[in-house]
Amino acid sequence: MKRVLLLAVMSLSIFSLGLAQGQMYFNVGPAFPTGDYADDDAGDRDAGGAAIGLNAGLLYEHPLNSNGLFMFGSVDLMFQGLKADYKDEIEDANPNADITFAKYLNVPISGGLRYKMDAGDNVGLFANAGVSFNLLKVTDYDFDFGDQGNVEFKYELATNVGFKIGAGLTFDEKTSVAIHYYGLGEHDLDFERENPDGASQNGDTEQTITQVTITLGFKLN
């Protein structure tokens, strides 16, 4: 909870700063999981089974010099469910259960450098790279076995440091189209399993998060 509160405070600070100086963009588009995060083999411990999801975020940029070098700060929210094949394998392994599947929420907070150049006809090019501090929340799994009771898996918030790189185009300095790769690294996920008899067990697993986003951006100030 403290980490989520910290995120909210940081996001508000970035937004307030963006209104006062520099440029602030709102970005939205699909998020495409890659690597182990996208692997839909439920029998593989490393597989995340993440489906294509939604990314939305704020990006603030501030000029460092007159040659096109900027610093940037951004916060994104990436929401993703599970792939159908991944869920099918879990259902096949638990035919007597009514399953509520987990979902993923990634919140990378990033900062770094951005270089911009004029391509003519009110079109600009940019490229950026930076460090990302990611918060990963996995929602609960619930296996309902009817009269036999429920088995629940409850996950704690996980964090890790990774990176963000990308490039894109701006149009009249009002809108942008961008593609970014997020290498958010391996997250240690602690969980609690609650059994039908009321007993609980603690465990842990790991999940590596990598994904690509394609976004449309709108200047806010």
Side-chain angles (χ1 to χ4, degrees), residues 52-105:
I52 296 171
L54 177 67
N55 172 61
L58 294 171
L59 182 142
Y60 163 74
E61 61 178 28
H62 182 79
L64 294 177
N65 60 32
S66 60
N67 297 318
L69 186 63
F70 291 72
M71 67 176 182
F72 78 88
S74 66
V75 57
D76 294 278
L77 283 78
M78 303 172 178
F79 183 77
Q80 290 158 312
L82 299 177
K83 290 182 176 179
D85 288 347
Y86 188 86
K87 293 192 288 187
D88 287 345
E89 287 190 32
I90 295 175
E91 288 176 334
D92 290 344
N94 300 273
N96 299 319
D98 183 10
I99 305 172
T100 300
F101 289 96
K103 296 179 175 62
Y104 294 106
L105 176 63

Side-chain angles (χ1 to χ4, degrees), residues 147-207:
D147 294 339
Q148 298 178 9
N150 291 48
V151 176
E152 293 183 74
F153 292 85
K154 297 183 177 182
Y155 294 86
E156 295 184 10
L157 187 70
T159 62
N160 197 59
V161 176
F163 65 90
K164 169 184 179 178
I165 58 173
L169 300 171
T170 59
F171 305 95
D172 295 320
E173 287 292 336
K174 295 180 180 179
T175 59
S176 66
V177 176
I179 181 169
H180 284 89
Y181 176 79
Y182 292 80
L184 302 177
E186 185 175 88
H187 296 65
D188 294 322
L189 284 167
D190 296 323
F191 64 85
E192 180 182 24
R193 170 177 170 159
E194 295 184 356
N195 298 316
D197 60 3
S200 63
Q201 299 168 296
N202 294 323
D204 63 86
T205 186
E206 295 81 33
Q207 185 61 64

Side-chain angles (χ1 to χ4, degrees), residues 7 18 28-29 60 71 84 120 131 134 141 157 178 210 220:
L7 169 64
V28 64
Y60 163 74
M71 67 176 182
V131 176
N134 189 53
Y141 269 103
L157 187 70
T210 57
L220 299 179

Side-chain angles (χ1 to χ4, degrees), residues 6-37:
L6 176 61
L7 169 64
V9 172
M10 291 181 66
S11 301
L12 181 60
S13 298
I14 292 173
F15 185 75
S16 299
L17 181 61
L19 291 178
Q21 55 184 317
Q23 296 178 334
M24 175 69 72
Y25 289 90
F26 171 72
N27 302 297
V28 64
F32 302 91
T34 63
D36 287 338
Y37 186 43

